[in-house]
Amino acid sequence: MSLVPPSDDAPVEDDRQTTRGGVMGGSARLDLIVGAVGSVLVAIGAFGVADIPRAHPVAADAGFAWMSYGHGKTLSATVFWLGVAAMVIAWIRLGRRLAVRPERSDGPATEHPTTPAPSLRALRWWALMWSVPMLVTVPIYSRDVYAYLAQAAVFRAGFDPYADGPAHYPGPLLDSMAQVWATTTAPYGPFFMALTRGVVEVTGDHVILGVIAVRLVMVPGLLLALWAIPRIARTFGASARMGLWLVLFNPMVVIHLVGGPHVELLLLGVVVTGLALVLGRRHVLGTAVLGLAVSIKVTAGIAIPFVVWIWLSHLRDQRTAADGDPDAAAAAHAGPADGQAAVGVAGGEKPTGISTRTVVGVFAAVTLIPVAVFAVCTVALGLGLGWLTGLGWADRIINWFTVPTVVAHAVTLIAAPFTALNIQPVLSVTRLVAQVVLAVLLVWLWWRYRRDARSAMVGMAWAMAAVLVLEPSTLPWYYTWLLGVLVAFTLPPRVRALIVGVSTFMLIVFQPDDSIVFYKVPETLLALALSVLAAWSVLRVDPLRLRRSVAWLWGSRADAAGLGNERDGSAATEGVVKR
């Protein structure tokens, strides 16, 4: 991964930037309005094509039943996908506008390089506007929220959700969830189980109220992310506005996490808050917040080991600053060169005078603080460590977004002319090998990226990417684990294009009614084509040259030629359109 720091002569981002139109240029406002309208269309269309509760009269009572069948469903699907398209287009256009600092001479594409981008404050408000419609629609792309409620109802009824599945408590919540999970136990940490238990104590077995209440419980994650993401970005000189664009304007995040809803929304907010506090040198509090994140979902623990290197890097900076040597302080801020031992943790070198006792203390603190937070949550819930048994249920998910599944499919296809292999035993082997490789890789990444705070964040990003591709199964909302870390860096245009392409692909192959089409060749090829187009649009304005085609069709060939010359001239002058 190429993570490019901003150049020394790059303009400093001014979060108070204003224009003649107020806090933003008119065209930027139009992009944001289009995205917000798209969100409304998605919310409306979802009533006909998404995961409406089963065996529940809400649709009929509210007069929405006609939207779920026949021509009504076709109309709903049209509205839904138009909304998705509007959000993706607005997201791409907004990203081109915000990428105002070229990383290379052939820097990022932008349609109006002279038009000021929206202020950070404006973007925060607009991020909320894009998300609000998702709070009042039916669950989209997944029935997980019904499983959250059903597991909590089992707990309320006196069962142990870490030992007893939702099938122990029949009712509308069980009817509405994906039945493949009806007999499985909860894989979530004690803090999240306590939150959902509180929800069902208030809403009972009412499905609609329960879904809305769960979304409200997740909203603090969105608010925390709005606070923390700009702070993480600024720590390393990256754009705070691009950080918000990357995560909170991402339609995959808005629709899957808020519209889902998914626990990852709360997890994202708590994790980036913990990282922001640690990077802001509030190490104890930040590490405790990361421990709270682990008590929501155990995957947050990927970030914690890298806190060691961030903390030690800050101690080196403090020591060199105290010594009053500007050259040493600059070297400490940059960190030791590649291959040089980190202070106090390899080779016995202590060039900045940090004692072994201090290093051991940091290691102990980063270990014990999260353990203590998790232990308090576990004791308060009173269910012990039974959630560990629920982690294995993810093996039931089979999709080719992870390496072990791709390899298993390849083995069965290659062997097909000679013998019939069931994919399950092959998966058992490939997943076991992947888990061993992942364990070794995570340790290597932790040690390899120990140089300084920036290096630790790079290692954290690679570690989360490794988990995504090597774990038994991956779902779209899992990618937010990685996005929350990538905000720390000024990403090259090709990386941003890759993120746009993957996000778009995940919005298409996963369907709003919780079905999947990535084993259907025509649908998958269509999704791939649209995703490539979306990614290409990040690198080049109007990649299909539709503006010129429209002008030509209207019989204005001179205008079409002029439009092309104008765009080419802008590219030559500004150096902003990638050829």
Side-chain angles (χ1 to χ4, degrees), residues 425-458:
V426 180
L427 269 177
S428 299
V429 175
T430 58
R431 284 173 169 174
L432 177 60
V433 173
Q435 292 302 302
V436 173
V437 172
L438 178 60
V440 174
L441 185 59
L442 288 178
V443 174
W444 179 82
L445 288 170
W446 176 72
W447 184 251
R448 167 66 178 81
Y449 292 97
R450 66 189 186 276
R451 186 176 64 188
D452 55 19
R454 176 184 289 274
S455 179
M457 292 296 288
V458 173

Side-chain angles (χ1 to χ4, degrees), residues 241-323:
R241 295 178 294 181
M242 283 300 294
L244 291 181
W245 171 84
L246 182 70
V247 182
L248 299 183
F249 285 94
N250 187 328
M252 183 188 73
V253 174
V254 175
I255 300 176
H256 276 291
L257 264 63
V258 184
H262 287 284
V263 64
E264 271 72 17
L265 179 59
L266 182 61
L267 183 70
L268 169 68
V270 176
V271 168
V272 294
T273 297
L275 291 176
L277 290 170
V278 169
L279 292 170
R281 301 176 185 266
R282 301 173 69 178
H283 306 105
V284 174
L285 179 58
T287 306
V289 172
L290 290 174
L292 183 64
V294 175
S295 70
I296 296 173
K297 197 168 184 178
V298 69
T299 46
I302 302 169
I304 292 178
F306 294 92
V307 173
V308 170
W309 308 132
I310 297 173
W311 199 332
L312 289 175
S313 175
H314 291 167
L315 291 177
R316 287 200 303 269
D317 292 348
Q318 292 175 4
R319 184 54 185 257
T320 52
D323 291 342

Side-chain angles (χ1 to χ4, degrees), residues 179-239:
Q179 296 304 298
V180 67
W181 309 118
T183 59
T184 62
T185 56
Y188 308 107
F191 183 75
F192 182 70
M193 289 305 303
L195 289 178
T196 53
R197 166 68 185 271
V199 167
V200 296
E201 288 287 353
V202 175
T203 63
D205 293 343
H206 198 289
V207 183
I208 304 302
L209 292 180
V211 169
I212 294 174
V214 168
R215 284 192 175 123
L216 293 178
V217 166
M218 304 292 188
V219 164
L222 175 62
L223 301 179
L224 288 172
L226 286 169
W227 176 85
I229 286 174
R231 284 165 171 78
I232 294 175
R234 285 167 171 163
T235 300
F236 299 102
S239 169

Side-chain angles (χ1 to χ4, degrees), residues 18-101:
T18 59
T19 70
R20 288 174 298 174
V23 295
M24 68 190 70
S27 187
R29 180 183 285 110
L30 178 61
D31 295 338
L32 292 165
I33 291 174
V34 168
V37 171
S39 180
V40 172
L41 293 178
V42 168
I44 294 173
F47 282 94
V49 298
D51 297 311
I52 197 164
R54 299 189 181 110
H56 196 284
V58 60
D61 293 346
F64 295 140
W66 64 273
M67 299 177 65
S68 61
Y69 63 89
H71 296 306
K73 187 165 187 176
T74 302
L75 177 62
S76 297
T78 302
V79 170
F80 179 88
W81 290 112
L82 282 175
V84 171
M87 293 183 72
V88 171
I89 292 170
W91 181 46
I92 294 171
R93 287 172 55 87
L94 180 63
R96 289 199 301 246
R97 192 177 308 283
L98 294 178
V100 295
R101 292 191 288 185

